[in-house]
Amino acid sequence: PFVRECCAAYALQILRTWDDVSRLGDNEVRQLCAAVSDLLEDPAERARAAARDAYHALAEVWPDRASEISRDVDPKIARLLLSSNVVVERPPTPPPPPPPEPPSGVAEGTRVRVLKNRTGTVRFIGETAFSSGAWVGVELDAPDGKHDGVVDGKRYFECGANRGVFVRASQAQTLSEDVAQSSELPRAAL
């Protein structure tokens, strides 16, 4: 039912927000009208309610098409459509929850152990275009990574060739101060 309700809400959004819905081709208009018509007779009340809103918006743009729909649907639905011309604005959908926070102690510049035995420095924390959720970008001490901080053409951080990796926050183990210092390679070795 939720998917069908979303379809009706999408039809309403098209009719309410597109600057020039009259540019839609005849085939697109027919599909839009057919979707609204089908959803008006949906078993789920919320889908029907959303379809009624879309019907009224459609009637403002194409009154003739709306008349055809009201003739084709069940007579009870047609009476309901004709008796009410009020479009109820629905509250916006709440935003998705924020991505999970990285473990405490992991911040840019923190020394970490990743992928079992590789050490490096955190250079990026956040969301990426290549996958959802929180990611930690690490500049490895040795050149056994996968990239230089660029993934799919987007730069997330700076590092040498084959020194960059991304891991989930749960895979980045913060190193204690003494371990972090002993794991650092002298710059000449890089």
Side-chain angles (χ1 to χ4, degrees), residues 35-89:
V36 170
S37 179
D38 289 345
L39 290 164
L40 285 167
E41 298 185 282
D42 195 273
E45 171 53 35
R46 290 179 61 150
R48 288 193 311 269
R52 285 191 298 272
D53 291 347
Y55 168 85
H56 290 298
L58 189 138
E60 291 173 15
V61 179
W62 296 293
D64 294 342
R65 300 279 185 155
S67 294
E68 290 173 21
I69 291 173
S70 67
R71 282 194 307 267
D72 293 341
V73 295
D74 181 276
K76 290 179 188 175
I77 295 170
R79 281 192 299 277
L80 180 63
L81 291 174
L82 298 174
S83 68
S84 168
N85 202 14
V86 177
V87 177
V88 178
E89 291 295 324

